[in-house]
Amino acid sequence: MMRVLIADDQRVVREGLALVLGLLPDVEIVGSAADGDEAVALVAELRPDIVLMDLRMPRCDGVEATRRLRAAYPEVKVVVLTTYSDDRSVLEALRAGARGYLTKDAGGQEIHEALRRVHDNQAVLDPAVQHHLVSAVSAPSPGSLTPRETEVLTLIAEGLSNTEIATRLFVTEATVKTHINHLLAKIGVRDRAQAVGYAYQQGLISAP
C-alpha cells in the first residue's frame, strides 16, 4: 500500500486527485496540503511514502518544500505534478530531490504508474518534459563549459582525483588535466578548491 499526500494550492485539484487515486486498491490518500509549508508539516505528522507535489504554490513553493523534505525526511519520495514543463522548473525540481516529474496533462493511469515506479525506487520523467531536460543537460553550463567539462567539474566537487576521474570517464589523465585547465579558465577560478565552490554555487552538486 502506498501512502500518498497531495500538495496543491487549488482545492479542486486536490479533491479530484484524492477521488481518482483513492479508488485504487494500492493507494491510500493520507492527507492534502494547500502550500509547501503545510506539506512539510503534514509529512512530519503523517509520514506518507510519497508526496504528489505542485510547483507553484503560495508561501512555500514545491521546489523549496521538496528541498526541505529531502533534508528532513529523505525516505519520503516526491513526485512533481504541475502545469509547468520548462527547463528551469524541471531542473530545479530534480535538483531539489524530486524522484518524478509529471505534467497535469497526465491521466490517472499515468499518475498511478509513476507512483508505483517511484515507490519502487525508480525515477519517472513525463515524456512531455524529457526534451527540455536533454536540451538543458546538453547545453553549455554557466561559464560556457562543455558537457564534458561540466562532468569533470562535478567529479572534482565529489572529491575525485585526476586519476580517479580518468578511470571514471575512460580517458587519459593528461586529457583530464586539459579539461581542468580549460574549465578553470572559463569559470575564472585559480584552483580546484575554488572550482568546488563554483560547482556548489551553480547547483551542480548538492551540499552534504
Side-chain angles (χ1 to χ4, degrees):
M1 180 67 71
M2 296 179 289
R3 293 168 47 80
V4 177
L5 176 74
I6 298 168
D8 196 292
D9 63 334
Q10 296 184 20
R11 181 177 178 180
V12 65
V13 173
R14 296 196 304 271
E15 293 180 349
L17 287 170
L19 180 62
V20 172
L21 298 177
L23 296 174
L24 299 170
D26 58 346
V27 174
E28 178 187 359
I29 303 300
V30 298
S32 63
D35 58 52
D37 284 338
E38 190 176 354
V40 174
L42 286 177
V43 166
E45 177 185 346
L46 303 172
R47 296 302 174 94
D49 300 309
I50 302 172
V51 178
L52 199 55
M53 182 84 73
D54 189 19
L55 284 187
R56 302 293 186 263
M57 295 184 290
R59 293 203 301 167
C60 173
D61 66 17
V63 171
E64 177 59 25
T66 298
R67 190 176 293 116
R68 287 163 58 184
L69 290 176
R70 182 186 184 187
Y73 310 100
E75 74 282 1
V76 177
K77 301 174 178 67
V78 174
V79 175
V80 169
L81 182 64
T82 182
T83 56
Y84 300 91
S85 60
D86 58 282
D87 294 2
R88 180 178 178 181
S89 295
V90 176
L91 289 175
E92 284 185 346
L94 296 179
R95 284 173 177 164
R99 295 289 296 166
Y101 197 108
L102 300 174
T103 66
K104 288 183 178 177
D105 291 332
Q109 184 59 42
E110 292 174 88
I111 297 173
H112 183 210
E113 179 63 22
L115 293 175
R116 288 196 301 181
R117 289 174 61 186
V118 168
H119 191 253
D120 291 336
N121 293 315
Q122 301 179 50
V124 177
L125 192 63
D126 192 313
V129 303
Q130 285 180 1
H131 70 281
H132 290 285
L133 183 60
V134 171
S135 173
V137 171
S138 62
S141 62
S144 298
L145 298 184
T146 66
R148 176 61 90 182
E149 289 165 352
T150 301
E151 192 172 14
V152 170
L153 176 58
T154 301
L155 294 175
I156 290 173
E158 290 177 0
L160 274 65
S161 67
N162 288 3
T163 302
E164 290 170 329
I165 294 172
T167 301
R168 177 79 64 88
L169 300 181
F170 301 102
V171 298
T172 66
E173 195 167 343
T175 299
V176 172
K177 290 179 180 178
T178 299
H179 285 314
I180 291 175
N181 288 336
H182 287 168
L183 72 88
L184 291 179
K186 285 183 177 181
I187 64 179
V189 301
R190 294 190 305 272
D191 53 35
R192 293 171 73 101
Q194 290 184 345
V196 171
Y198 176 89
Y200 282 118
Q201 183 183 36
Q202 296 298 328
L204 298 176
I205 188 169
S206 300

